[in-house]
């Protein structure tokens, strides 16, 4: 059993292949966290300590006993007003404005299968895959407030999930001011915190620092998970490396604002919590109402960061992503954005399609600029009708023409937005989130639609049907600004940020179930909404608007800690690069873009014959390697401090019989030291043949001391080694 309860001790145990999680409902009814670490038998309540702690309050029931304080004990669901002064997961304000809700254990239930969350994305168990759910109910009598803590266990993947449902079972309304979904309390230990920061066109940069006393937090107030901080964090022992040491990860399955806090307190205890952003959040619950905190996926690894990433990769790939394209090969794409921007007509699109077809591309994706009046980014968002004058035909005729060339047809949309200069805005000004009496905040000249409204959601779904019914089999679903104003003409503005995301998920759920054959690529000005919530609906996401091969190294590096490469959309673009002006070899652009969602974003009509031949070879090779890239085990072979010198990564097939190793040396220097790459994950004792040269190497020596890269002859050279076990 993955979830058990020991009645005598009040201890809950969650067990996965390599980990154990324990908590205890103690004699006062408090739910104390005991352990999350390497798999163990027995109980771990001996780890709790009790002492008289000055200025740390005790529950009233203890009378004169001052040795029990929630300020010093590890908890599962810390709330405000209990004498625990660390950061809480729940803050509730009653109708008089009083905050505080002491929660006590009431009951629990263990069921087979993994829970799901109505209206929210969540990890699911596959048919035949072992999974269990533990639901623990806590209660505050004064408010009639019930909390249902949900724990999901997928033992074979070393995954434990958490979510929480807060409900008002009382007689008066109260307001939820803060709601987090997951907490890990550590009674001792010094840790590093790893987070991923960035900006538009430079997302998910790795940052690791020693956690000191105080609170360090990352999050997003932007209504989207954001370019600036990823909703994914890791706590690691100081000595944790890629292949050694203890580390814990939390991954938020949510696409809106979030916050993650790491607190190192007075007693050198550490608390890691994650949940909904508090900013502009104020969620009133009338009697009978409830709110669900989105899911957090957790894993623990005692074998370093590489293993932690493998657990998250497998979970996201197989238990979050859904639909036909979860497992089937993704098409090689030619996207028109960096090739043509807004400057095209129907003839040009067909010429590009013919040229792309000859290269071996599978699908043409017509990016922004195809609908009425959309010749720049000042107008027309919301008016999803093809510009037939520009295209020279209807959308369905264009789709059919491209199909007759032998390519599938995909198209760009940005359904959540509205331009002031649009038919939609002229007809429905109240659909935009603008605060009456204030001037709207414009970003990329556009406003955000109020997705909490049913009529808006219906309009978007109907507009997408209008496009998909023309034979389009792929949508690039873009989102090019953050939310600044939360205002709905239908009210409830404290709920709006959350309801917006629920509205988005409803739209995506309905479209993906109505059109199961359609592949949707997520996008938000590149990787501004690169999160596990979006991946539930869109199995791949445009990773960054930055297509420069050198900048993409650190973007892919950071992304790979939490996300599988099958989710990462990356395209070979032209040189000089449009974002950085850098010139890199076509071969290096290919090596870096060779991920699970690969394509080109350049004008094929402008290629030289040599480039055309090289691209044809690349596409053929990609189709050979695609399987290992999308379903193999991914290893980072360089450390963050190495990246400016070299960046190397490896894919190993699940059975260990094949490996694909890539490396890029961004800068060449005079008389350079030789760079050695040390692969991992090969079969001990086995020999591997270099497919290209036929040379054979012992796996153990390769994994121990590495192999030398050839000396580069210029900047930005890349190297690929394909190994096969003999
Ligand atoms: C932002 C995206 O990230 C780009 O790839 C492109 O689709 C533009 N939007 C189009 O407006």
């Amino acid at each position: 059993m993955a979830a058990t309860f020991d009645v005598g001790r009040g201890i809950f145990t969650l067990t996965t292949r390599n980990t154990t999680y324990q908590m205890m409902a103690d004699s006062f009814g408090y739910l104390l966290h005991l352990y999350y670490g390497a798999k163990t038998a027995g109980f771990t309540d001996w780890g709790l300590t009790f002492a008289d702690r000055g200025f740390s309050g005790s529950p009233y029931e203890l009378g004169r006993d001052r040795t029990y304080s929630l300020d010093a004990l590890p908890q599962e669901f810390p709330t405000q007003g209990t004498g625990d002064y660390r950061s809480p997961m729940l803050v509730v304000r009653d109708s008089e404005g009083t905050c505080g809700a002491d929660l006590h254990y009431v009951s629990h239930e263990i069921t087979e299968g993994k829970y799901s969350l109505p209206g929210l994305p969540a990890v699911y168990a596959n048919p035949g895959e072992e999974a269990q759910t533990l639901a623990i109910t806590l209660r505050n009598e004064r408010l009639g407030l019930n909390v249902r803590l949900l724990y999901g266990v997928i033992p074979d993947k070393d995954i434990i999930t958490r979510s929480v449902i807060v409900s008002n079972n009382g007689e008066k309304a109260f307001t939820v001011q803060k709601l987090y979904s997951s907490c890990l309390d550590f009674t001792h230990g010094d840790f590093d915190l790893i987070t991923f920061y960035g900006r538009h066109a430079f997302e998910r940069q790795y940052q690791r620092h020693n956690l000191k006393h105080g609170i360090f937090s990352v999050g997003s107030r932007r209504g989207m998970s954001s370019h600036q901080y990823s909703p994914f964090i890791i706590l690691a022992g100081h000595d944790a490396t890629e292949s050694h040491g203890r580390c814990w990860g939390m991954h938020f399955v949510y696409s809106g604002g979030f916050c993650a806090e790491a607190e190192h307190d007075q007693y050198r205890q550490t608390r890691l919590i994650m949940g909904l952003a508090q900013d502009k959040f104020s969620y009133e619950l009338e009697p009978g109402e409830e709110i669900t905190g989105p899911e957090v996926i957790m894993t623990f690894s005692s074998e370093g960061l590489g293993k932690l990433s493998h657990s998250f990769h497998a979970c996201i790939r197989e238990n979050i992503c859904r639909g036909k394209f979860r497992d089937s090969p993704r098409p090689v794409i030619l996207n028109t954005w960096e090739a043509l921007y807004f400057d095209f007509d129907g003839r040009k699109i067909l010429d590009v399609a013919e040229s792309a077809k000859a290269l071996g591309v599978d699908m043409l994706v017509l990016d922004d600029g195809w609908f009425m009046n959309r010749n720049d980014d000042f107008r027309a968002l919301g008016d999803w009708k093809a510009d037939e004058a520009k295209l020279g035909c209807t959308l369905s005729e264009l789709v059919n023409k491209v199909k007759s060339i032998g390519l599938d047809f995909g198209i760009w949309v940005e359904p959540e937005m509205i331009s002031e200069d649009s038919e939609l805005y002229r007809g429905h000004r109240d659909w935009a989130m603008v605060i009456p009496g204030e001037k709207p905040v414009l970003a990329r000249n556009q406003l955000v639609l109020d997705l909490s409204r049913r009529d808006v959601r219906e309009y978007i779904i109907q507009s997408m049907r209008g496009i998909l019914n023309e034979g389009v089999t792929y949508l690039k679903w873009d989102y090019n600004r953050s939310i600044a104003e939360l205002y709905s003409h239908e009210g409830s503005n404290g709920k709006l940020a959350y309801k917006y995301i629920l509205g988005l998920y409803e739209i995506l759920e309905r479209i993906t179930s109505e059109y199961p054959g359609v592949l949707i690529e997520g996008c938000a000005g590149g990787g501004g909404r690169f999160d596990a919530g979006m991946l539930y609906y869109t199995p791949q996401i445009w990773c960054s608007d930055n297509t420069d091969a050198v900048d993409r190294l650190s973007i892919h590096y950071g992304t790979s800690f939490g996300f599988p490469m099958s989710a990462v959309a990356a395209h070979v673009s032209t040189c000089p690069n449009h974002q950085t002006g850098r010139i890199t070899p076509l071969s290096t652009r290919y090596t870096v873009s060779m991920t699970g969602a690969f394509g080109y974003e350049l004008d094929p009509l402008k290629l030289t014959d040599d480039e055309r031949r090289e691209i044809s070879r690349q596409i053929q090779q990609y189709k050979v390697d695609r399987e290992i890239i999308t379903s193999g085990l991914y290893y980072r072979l360089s450390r963050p401090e190495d990246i400016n010198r070299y960046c190397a990564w490896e894919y190993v097939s699940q059975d260990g019989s094949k490996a694909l190793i890539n490396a890029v040396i961004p800068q060449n220097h005079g008389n350079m030291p030789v760079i050695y790459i040390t692969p991992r994950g090969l079969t001990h004792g086995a020999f591997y043949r270099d497919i290209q040269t036929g040379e054979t190497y012992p796996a153990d020596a390769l994994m121990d001391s590495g192999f030398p890269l050839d000396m580069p002859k210029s900047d930005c050279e890349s190297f690929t080694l394909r190994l096969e076990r003999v």
Side-chain angles (χ1 to χ4, degrees):
M1 284 287 273
T4 55
F5 180 61
D6 184 273
V7 183
R9 290 175 180 256
I11 292 183
F12 298 94
T13 304
L14 307 178
T15 311
T16 71
R17 188 191 287 264
N18 298 297
T19 72
T20 297
Y21 188 106
Q22 270 185 358
M23 61 198 133
M24 176 170 80
D26 74 3
S27 53
F28 304 110
Y30 289 113
L31 195 59
L32 302 181
H33 177 73
L34 297 179
Y35 177 82
Y36 188 23
K39 187 169 188 166
T40 181
F43 300 107
T44 54
D45 45 343
W46 40 262
L48 297 176
T49 61
F50 300 90
D52 183 346
R53 299 289 196 181
F55 273 82
S56 289
S58 302
Y60 191 75
E61 300 89 304
L62 271 98
R64 295 188 173 188
D65 178 359
R66 301 198 305 207
T67 60
Y68 183 112
S69 174
L70 291 174
D71 208 18
L73 285 165
Q75 294 175 67
E76 276 299 310
F77 193 69
T79 59
Q80 194 198 38
T82 60
D84 177 0
Y85 296 92
R86 291 168 287 177
S87 206
M89 290 175 72
L90 177 72
V91 175
V92 176
R93 190 167 46 78
D94 68 17
S95 49
E96 272 99 54
T98 310
C99 290
D102 199 7
L103 292 166
H104 292 267
Y105 168 81
V106 176
S107 62
H108 74 271
E109 203 184 355
I110 294 173
T111 48
E112 283 305 317
K114 163 73 177 56
Y115 65 84
S116 55
L117 300 173
L120 281 164
V123 163
Y124 61 90
N126 288 289
E129 186 172 38
E130 189 191 350
Q132 284 191 335
T133 294
L134 164 66
I136 301 176
T137 302
L138 311 175
R139 182 164 170 84
N140 176 272
E141 287 299 340
R142 179 177 70 91
L143 296 168
L145 180 158
N146 273 19
V147 168
R148 206 166 138 82
L149 300 180
L150 295 171
Y151 296 82
V153 192
I154 311 277
D156 280 349
K157 298 235 168 63
D158 281 329
I159 289 293
I160 294 176
T161 65
R162 287 191 65 172
S163 174
V164 50
I165 301 170
V166 176
S167 44
N168 185 347
N169 292 33
E171 280 158 17
K172 287 186 182 162
F174 57 76
T175 302
V176 180
Q177 299 283 152
K178 179 180 186 182
L179 180 60
Y180 280 16
S181 303
S182 192
C183 173
L184 281 177
D185 265 2
F186 298 84
T187 51
H188 64 289
D190 290 321
F191 300 100
D192 287 348
L193 187 70
I194 301 174
T195 54
F196 302 89
Y197 71 95
R199 53 185 184 266
H200 173 236
F202 210 59
E203 298 88 338
R204 286 170 300 286
Q205 302 295 307
Y206 173 95
Q207 171 174 282
R208 179 172 182 162
H209 71 274
N210 184 344
L211 207 57
K212 299 255 174 47
H213 289 284
I215 302 178
F216 180 87
S217 73
V218 292
S220 160
R221 299 190 184 97
R222 296 165 189 266
M224 63 198 287
S225 49
S226 90
H227 300 90
Q228 286 71 17
Y229 297 104
S230 180
F232 167 65
I233 53 171
I234 302 170
L235 193 73
H238 291 321
D239 63 346
T241 63
E242 283 291 341
S243 53
H244 164 88
R246 300 164 79 219
C247 42
W248 297 258
M250 280 192 189
H251 221 309
F252 205 26
V253 190
Y254 190 64
S255 310
F258 76 98
C259 189
E261 301 173 44
E263 179 168 6
H264 196 55
D265 76 2
Q266 54 181 339
Y267 304 124
R268 303 182 73 97
Q269 306 188 109
T270 299
R271 171 170 290 173
L272 193 67
I273 49 178
M274 182 181 252
L276 291 171
Q278 266 184 280
D279 186 61
K280 303 185 207 89
F281 178 76
S282 173
Y283 204 99
E284 192 178 48
L285 290 179
E286 293 290 342
E289 288 186 339
E290 63 181 34
I291 175 173
T292 303
E295 180 163 279
V296 170
I297 312 174
M298 300 189 298
T299 194
F300 165 77
S301 158
S302 56
E303 297 164 46
L305 299 162
K307 166 75 174 64
L308 178 126
S309 292
H310 288 171
S311 299
F312 279 131
H313 291 176
C315 178
I316 302 261
R317 208 167 49 213
E318 295 161 17
N319 302 80
I320 282 283
C321 293
R322 301 177 300 166
K324 175 179 161 197
F325 287 94
R326 187 190 91 158
D327 302 316
S328 58
R330 312 275 170 79
V332 175
I333 276 163
L334 186 298
N335 179 294
T336 60
W337 181 243
E338 285 198 25
L340 309 171
Y341 295 104
F342 292 104
D343 185 17
F344 59 83
D345 58 19
R347 184 64 259 156
K348 178 76 184 174
I349 295 302
L350 294 175
D351 290 346
V352 165
E354 265 166 22
S355 180
K357 173 68 188 166
L359 296 172
V361 163
D362 300 318
M363 176 183 280
L364 180 96
V365 176
L366 180 54
D367 211 285
D368 201 351
W370 59 269
F371 47 102
M372 289 293 283
N373 299 324
R374 185 70 175 174
N375 292 314
D376 52 40
D377 63 15
F378 290 96
R379 64 202 95 246
L381 291 173
D383 299 343
W384 300 108
K385 293 273 172 296
D387 184 342
E388 294 179 6
K390 182 171 180 176
L391 300 181
C393 58
T394 65
L395 180 58
S396 80
E397 283 163 355
L398 185 67
V399 172
N400 287 333
K401 286 179 193 173
V402 170
K403 284 192 173 165
S404 68
I405 292 169
L407 293 180
D408 285 332
F409 189 94
I411 208 159
W412 177 94
V413 289
E414 195 178 0
E416 299 159 70
M417 298 293 164
I418 180 166
S419 304
E420 282 181 298
D421 183 2
S422 68
E423 290 307 316
L424 187 65
Y425 190 70
R426 284 183 276 278
H428 300 278
R429 291 175 77 95
D430 56 333
W431 284 13
M433 292 200 287
V434 172
I435 301 173
E438 302 276 354
K439 293 207 175 79
V441 176
L442 290 175
R444 209 192 188 204
N445 319 300
Q446 60 200 50
L447 303 171
V448 189
L449 284 167
D450 174 5
L451 266 54
S452 74
R453 293 177 62 131
R454 178 181 294 277
D455 48 6
V456 172
R457 298 197 296 275
E458 292 304 328
Y459 174 81
I460 292 175
I461 291 169
Q462 202 46 40
S463 306
M464 295 306 107
R465 284 187 188 127
I467 295 167
L468 292 169
N469 291 345
E470 305 297 352
V472 172
T473 52
Y474 166 111
L475 289 180
K476 177 177 175 185
W477 187 291
D478 208 346
Y479 179 88
N480 280 305
R481 64 162 291 177
S482 308
I483 294 175
E485 302 113 310
L486 279 171
Y487 182 87
S488 173
H489 286 267
E490 293 190 345
S492 301
N493 293 330
K495 298 182 174 180
L496 191 50
Y498 179 77
K499 288 198 154 186
Y500 180 95
I501 296 294
L502 290 191
L504 169 65
Y505 291 153
E506 182 194 310
I507 293 168
L508 286 167
E509 183 65 42
R510 285 174 58 189
I511 292 176
T512 48
S513 41
E514 248 181 76
Y515 298 92
V518 170
L519 173 59
I520 308 184
E521 175 170 293
C523 177
R529 221 165 41 180
F530 205 114
D531 57 67
M534 285 308 288
L535 286 168
Y536 192 69
Y537 308 95
T538 71
Q540 61 189 57
I541 298 177
W542 182 228
C543 190
S544 177
D545 270 352
N546 188 336
T547 57
D548 172 58
V550 171
D551 277 3
R552 276 279 182 140
L553 291 175
S554 62
I555 297 171
H556 289 184
Y557 181 84
T559 304
S560 77
F561 279 84
F563 300 92
M565 280 297 134
S566 58
V568 172
H571 296 167
V572 171
S573 61
T574 193
C575 271
N577 180 268
H578 290 189
Q579 292 79 40
T580 63
R582 198 178 344 253
I583 294 175
T584 52
L586 182 53
S587 54
T588 298
R589 283 176 265 154
Y590 168 66
T591 304
V592 175
S593 302
M594 190 204 293
T595 65
F598 168 66
Y600 292 80
E601 191 149 334
L602 41 71
D603 185 347
L605 300 163
K606 292 186 179 153
L607 295 169
T608 65
D609 288 346
D610 280 351
E611 287 171 330
R612 296 185 64 76
R613 274 191 289 276
E614 187 171 345
I615 288 178
S616 294
R617 278 197 302 274
Q618 289 175 348
I619 294 174
Q620 278 169 29
Q621 185 62 53
Y622 173 75
K623 290 184 177 172
V624 173
D625 292 330
R626 181 163 48 189
E627 173 65 20
I628 192 171
I629 291 169
T630 40
S631 65
L633 292 167
Y634 180 89
Y635 293 88
R636 292 172 292 274
L637 302 183
S638 39
R639 299 168 306 166
E641 58 269 35
D642 294 326
I643 285 186
N644 289 336
R645 219 162 53 85
Y646 75 95
C647 185
W649 63 100
E650 178 193 22
Y651 306 92
V652 179
S653 59
Q654 294 283 343
D655 65 0
S657 65
K658 289 192 181 124
L660 167 63
I661 300 165
N662 288 324
V664 173
I665 299 181
Q667 284 183 354
N668 193 19
H669 296 287
N671 203 13
M672 289 242 296
V674 174
I675 288 168
Y676 281 74
I677 303 294
T678 309
R680 293 210 305 282
L682 305 179
T683 310
H684 287 291
F687 284 79
Y688 282 80
R689 184 175 36 240
D690 176 338
I691 292 178
Q692 206 186 342
T693 64
E695 195 142 348
T696 301
Y697 303 98
D700 295 299
L702 278 181
M703 291 194 289
D704 190 56
S705 63
F707 67 90
L709 292 182
D710 292 341
M711 295 289 271
K713 295 174 197 64
S714 59
D715 279 352
C716 303
E717 277 193 18
S718 64
F719 307 83
T720 295
L721 182 68
R722 290 184 181 78
L723 295 174
E724 204 172 54
R725 195 170 55 206
V726 290

